[in-house]
């Protein structure tokens, strides 16, 4: 049973995240290990595995990048741990420009505003790339969809670095 089937969903990049969260809570209640405390060890182990599968499925499906990678994995394309480089020079140049912009935030006149502006920029570019992924996936152009996922990973790393910088600047 794949993760979408576990939640009675059709494999799709667009998901009703509130509905997914509600289904997750219902499944967690149904398979909570405390409900099976009086069962034999084999049944308890099976329930623990089911609860772990539910957690893994929810964590994967609620995150757009993980969901995109999972959709491709269902098509036989596994990008986890992949080290393939991107040959799109324009994309790589734009990533270098974004990294330079990120590095300059700390010395900006108003670092908090610079963080907000950069975050907005990343969000918009990720959204555009996610739309491109969805279009390629729906057209069953899985190689192109995989390229979009590889690019989305760059944005995920930038977002993490921005969060670290924000914590440093705002002294969280």
């Amino acid at each position: 049973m794949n993760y979408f089937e576990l939640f009675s969903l059709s494999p799709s990049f667009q998901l009703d995240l509130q509905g997914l969260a509600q289904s997750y809570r219902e499944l967690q209640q149904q398979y909570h290990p405390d409900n099976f405390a009086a069962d034999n060890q084999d049944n308890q182990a099976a329930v623990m595995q089911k609860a772990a599968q539910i957690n893994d499925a929810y964590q994967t499906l609620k995150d757009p990048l993980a969901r995109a990678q999972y959709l491709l994995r269902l098509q036989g394309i596994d990008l986890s741990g992949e080290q393939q480089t991107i040959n799109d020079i324009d994309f790589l140049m734009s990533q270098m420009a974004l990294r330079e912009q990120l590095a300059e935030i700390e010395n900006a006149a108003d670092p908090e505003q610079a963080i907000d502006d950069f975050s907005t920029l990343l969000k918009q570019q990720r959204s555009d790339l996610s739309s491109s992924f969805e279009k390629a996936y729906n057209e069953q152009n899985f190689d192109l969809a995989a390229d979009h996922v590889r690019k989305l990973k760059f944005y995920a790393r930038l977002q993490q670095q921005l969060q670290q910088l924000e914590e440093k600047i705002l002294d969280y």
Side-chain angles (χ1 to χ4, degrees):
M1 173 180 290
N2 73 44
Y3 291 167
F4 290 97
E5 293 169 343
L6 184 63
F7 289 102
S8 301
L9 298 169
S10 297
S12 171
F13 186 65
Q14 291 297 324
L15 290 182
D16 171 10
L17 294 179
Q18 289 182 342
L20 175 65
Q22 179 64 33
S23 294
Y24 170 71
R25 286 189 294 272
E26 290 169 5
L27 285 171
Q28 280 297 333
Q29 286 178 342
Q30 182 180 349
Y31 290 100
H32 195 282
D34 289 348
N35 297 335
F36 300 89
D39 287 11
N40 65 44
Q41 286 186 337
D42 290 343
N43 198 30
Q44 287 179 1
V47 168
M48 291 287 285
Q49 284 182 331
K50 187 71 170 182
Q53 181 188 30
I54 292 165
N55 280 332
D56 288 345
Y58 180 66
Q59 295 303 319
T60 298
L61 296 183
K62 78 175 189 176
D63 176 62
L65 178 58
R67 186 180 334 124
Q69 290 183 87
Y70 186 71
L71 283 166
L72 289 174
R73 198 167 78 200
L74 292 176
Q75 299 302 321
I77 301 170
D78 189 0
L79 300 177
S80 62
E82 179 189 72
Q83 298 297 321
Q84 182 172 338
T85 58
I86 292 178
N87 295 322
D88 183 339
I89 300 300
D90 291 337
F91 175 78
L92 293 173
M93 294 298 289
S94 72
Q95 288 298 302
M96 287 177 55
L98 287 171
R99 292 200 180 285
E100 288 173 9
Q101 190 175 347
L102 177 64
E104 293 169 0
I105 287 176
E106 201 167 0
N107 298 321
D110 185 352
E112 289 184 44
Q113 184 61 50
I115 288 170
D116 289 344
D117 293 345
F118 193 73
S119 180
T120 300
L121 176 66
L122 288 181
K123 185 177 181 179
Q124 180 59 50
Q125 291 185 5
R126 266 194 340 255
S127 177
D128 293 345
L129 200 50
S130 293
S131 295
S132 296
F133 165 81
E134 183 177 15
K135 183 177 185 292
Y137 181 82
N138 288 341
E139 292 173 351
Q140 299 186 357
N141 188 345
F142 300 125
D143 288 336
L144 181 59
D147 284 343
H148 293 315
V149 168
R150 290 179 187 105
K151 291 176 182 176
L152 283 167
K153 288 180 177 182
F154 276 85
Y155 284 100
R157 281 192 289 273
L158 272 173
Q159 186 64 45
Q160 287 175 335
Q161 292 169 341
L162 179 63
Q163 288 173 339
Q164 291 169 349
L165 179 62
E166 184 176 18
E167 290 172 8
K168 178 182 170 187
I169 289 174
L170 300 179
D171 198 26
Y172 287 144

